[in-house]
Amino acid sequence: MTAADAAAESDAEARSILERAAAASFPPLHAVHHLLSVGVCVRCIFRMFGAFSHACSCASLTVSVLHSFLEEHDDSAKDGSCSCLSMDEACCSICFGILLPTCHQDEGVAPFEAISRIDIITSMVSQAIQREGYQIGEFSTEISVPAVVAANERAIRLYMKGKYGSENWFKDEIFTQQTMSVKEALRLLIVPSLEKQLGVKHSNNSFRIRLTYTHDDASLKLKSLLPNDSNRKRKAESREGNDTRRNSTYDDKQILTETDTFIHKSLEGIQDQEFCTLFKLPPEKVLKPCQLVISFLRSPIYIGGRYLKLSRNVSQSCWIIDDERMGEASVEEIIKENVCAISRGDGYKFHAAGREDIDVRMLGSGRPFLIEVLNVRSIPTAIEIQQISDKINSSEKKYVRVRNLKLVDNEIWAMMREGESEKQVLYSIGDSIIYLK
């Protein structure tokens, strides 16, 4: 299929979606047109009215396509000076461009034309994965959006209720129940593109792609509007005639550090009537889109086995007192160095079933241990695990040896408990061999 054929097929899909919506008369076209005119993007319009998978996953369903359709079917959209035509230069007043991404350039916000806007983001994700050196077989997604998105959505719902609440087609309860979240809609839209770009499937995998959207200006403005303890305290002190200026810096910092969780809880505690007095209905159009940070995280992997400490001058973990190292090395560092060289993680944690003093050797079957490697780029194969073991055991410095080294999962802590409850552990102190029962 040529690019032209693919574009024609995508346009036909968008047209089919619009025709089905018009046939169902829900929402009516004049309401759709009005939502466009107050700055709501096409995907937010359809997800709020229940056209989930069809509208949210159709990349060619844009403002211009929708407006062209409205011009053919709705008299109110036939005026060439229609205000909703300016939407191509602005971001959605609900999602701030999350569902219809734009490119923020020095001269302003410009939409992507040569390639799907979502494909631009997924291409960035793919390049970042390659740059970081991750090896992946599947992936899952985590999406975070600013709390101001929920506030704007509620503002639009209340605005629509005030304007169309008396009309038969508008049912406030249905409108609320059918609303799909921005995160769910974006996942429907972006996952197929990610699967195509990465060549792997989306699942509940340990490798997670994180898309974190923020909008500092809108979030700060939202925080300043929300009633909170600091605001009430300032009002009370003002009524009592106290000088509150000395607390302003502290209060500003408190506002800046409030979390989205707090904002969501605050919004839940505000009744609709109070909400309408605090927020502008409908929300203002904005030119600045959300900022996107792409990051990745893989669940920790665990490599376990048993170690033997053959030297009386090697500690279990790195031991430094007053900037001076105690002993020649440590079990932890020797194992970590070899494991991390292959797995390429961001960090590690060493766990052992008990410990011994620096001047005590660990012989016999060895002490069970685990090394927890964080956010690895590559999960070691069985062959690579054996290479790690061989390298440690063949070291000229006969400090540490390892046995039964392997990648472990559900058996992690069972293995550790086994080591802690063993009836016999062999120690060597001085020239004496001691068996502990």
Side-chain angles (χ1 to χ4, degrees):
M1 182 184 294
T2 65
D5 291 337
E9 183 178 319
S10 184
D11 289 343
E13 180 187 2
R15 185 84 181 184
S16 175
I17 291 170
L18 296 176
E19 287 174 351
R20 288 199 299 272
S25 298
F26 186 79
L29 294 182
H30 68 275
V32 172
H33 180 239
H34 188 73
L35 283 170
L36 275 182
S37 69
V38 297
V40 182
C41 75
V42 58
R43 291 201 175 98
C44 277
I45 291 173
F46 278 91
R47 71 177 180 83
M48 291 177 71
F49 284 101
F52 302 156
S53 57
H54 292 89
C56 293
S57 60
C58 181
S60 61
L61 190 55
T62 62
V63 171
S64 57
V65 169
L66 177 56
H67 189 268
S68 296
F69 183 85
L70 291 174
E71 283 184 321
E72 298 173 15
H73 295 82
D74 181 35
D75 292 338
S76 64
K78 293 180 179 179
D79 184 359
S81 61
C82 179
S83 61
C84 70
L85 292 174
S86 63
M87 267 299 295
D88 280 337
E89 301 173 2
C91 297
C92 174
S93 57
I94 294 180
C95 72
F96 293 98
I98 293 174
L99 297 182
L100 277 178
T102 54
C103 179
H104 192 65
Q105 301 174 335
D106 291 339
E107 64 271 19
V109 176
F112 298 111
E113 298 295 346
I115 189 173
S116 163
R117 304 175 186 188
I118 289 296
D119 287 344
I120 290 287
I121 295 177
T122 56
S123 178
M124 291 166 57
V125 171
S126 177
Q127 291 171 17
I129 289 174
Q130 294 177 18
R131 188 167 57 249
E132 290 286 330
Y134 283 102
Q135 295 179 6
I136 62 173
E138 293 179 327
F139 71 94
S140 59
T141 52
E142 290 183 2
I143 299 171
S144 175
V145 301
V148 67
V149 169
N152 286 353
E153 186 168 304
R154 184 176 178 183
I156 286 292
R157 178 178 63 81
L158 292 174
Y159 174 73
M160 292 288 285
K161 181 180 179 181
K163 188 171 183 65
Y164 298 110
S166 60
E167 298 188 15
N168 292 332
W169 66 268
F170 187 92
K171 303 292 184 181
D172 189 52
E173 291 184 2
I174 295 177
F175 189 64
T176 303
Q177 292 171 359
Q178 289 185 332
T179 297
M180 171 180 267
S181 72
V182 169
K183 290 194 287 188
E184 292 174 286
L186 180 60
R187 189 171 281 109
L188 276 175
L189 186 65
I190 204 168
V191 163
S193 182
L194 280 171
E195 290 181 331
K196 182 179 178 181
Q197 284 275 357
L198 302 177
V200 295
K201 290 294 184 180
H202 180 269
S203 68
N204 294 324
N205 194 263
S206 63
F207 178 76
R208 302 189 292 279
I209 298 172
R210 288 180 170 177
L211 305 177
T212 304
Y213 291 87
T214 58
H215 200 293
D216 293 343
D217 293 344
S219 294
L220 286 173
K221 184 176 180 180
L222 171 61
K223 290 173 183 177
S224 69
L225 294 174
L226 287 173
N228 54 56
D229 291 337
S230 298
N231 287 338
R232 285 194 287 268
K233 183 177 179 181
R234 284 199 295 268
K235 291 177 182 178
E237 289 176 341
S238 296
R239 285 194 297 269
E240 294 168 3
N242 295 329
D243 182 7
T244 62
R245 288 176 295 177
R246 58 188 175 85
N247 292 322
S248 61
T249 301
Y250 171 79
D251 290 335
D252 289 343
K253 288 182 179 180
Q254 287 293 98
I255 292 173
L256 287 170
T257 56
E258 283 176 331
T259 64
D260 274 358
T261 300
F262 173 79
I263 294 175
H264 279 298
K265 287 183 178 179
S266 298
L267 290 173
E268 289 172 3
I270 298 175
Q271 298 298 316
D272 286 350
Q273 186 175 358
E274 182 183 4
F275 185 94
C276 292
T277 64
L278 293 173
F279 299 92
K280 182 177 179 181
L281 307 183
E284 296 177 347
K285 295 181 184 180
V286 291
L287 293 177
K288 183 179 178 181
C290 278
Q291 297 295 313
L292 170 61
V293 174
I294 299 170
S295 58
F296 312 103
L297 184 66
R298 177 175 266 133
S299 299
I301 65 168
Y302 296 86
I303 297 174
R306 289 171 176 264
Y307 75 78
L308 290 83
K309 186 166 80 72
L310 308 181
S311 171
R312 294 190 177 91
N313 200 26
V314 171
S315 58
Q316 186 188 73
S317 57
C318 183
W319 188 14
I320 297 176
I321 300 177
D322 295 331
D323 297 328
E324 183 178 349
R325 172 184 281 276
M326 300 291 106
E328 298 178 26
S330 71
V331 175
E332 173 185 358
E333 291 172 298
I334 291 170
I335 297 176
K336 180 271 296 187
E337 178 182 349
N338 289 278
V339 168
C340 290
I342 288 181
S343 58
R344 295 175 292 134
D346 285 345
Y348 75 96
K349 296 178 182 179
F350 185 83
H351 310 273
R355 60 185 307 114
E356 63 283 327
D357 292 337
I358 189 171
D359 58 349
V360 175
R361 292 192 293 171
M362 166 54 64
L363 305 177
S365 61
R367 185 185 298 282
F369 76 90
L370 290 169
I371 183 162
E372 177 183 355
V373 194
L374 310 176
N375 197 22
V376 299
R377 270 53 177 181
S378 174
I379 299 178
T381 63
I383 294 175
E384 289 172 326
I385 295 289
Q386 185 59 50
Q387 290 173 349
I388 294 171
S389 180
D390 293 343
K391 188 172 182 180
I392 294 173
N393 293 340
S394 62
S395 172
E396 293 181 1
K397 296 180 179 179
K398 299 184 183 300
Y399 291 154
V400 175
R401 296 291 181 266
V402 294
R403 300 176 61 247
N404 303 328
L405 199 64
K406 60 182 178 180
L407 197 65
V408 291
D409 41 48
N410 293 335
E411 64 217 272
I412 296 172
W413 305 116
M415 188 180 74
M416 298 298 283
R417 287 192 296 270
E418 173 191 340
E420 292 171 350
S421 62
E422 282 180 339
K423 297 296 184 181
Q424 177 176 294
V425 181
L426 178 62
Y427 290 91
S428 171
I429 303 178
D431 296 326
S432 302
I433 302 295
I434 301 177
Y435 291 87
L436 299 181
K437 300 290 186 180

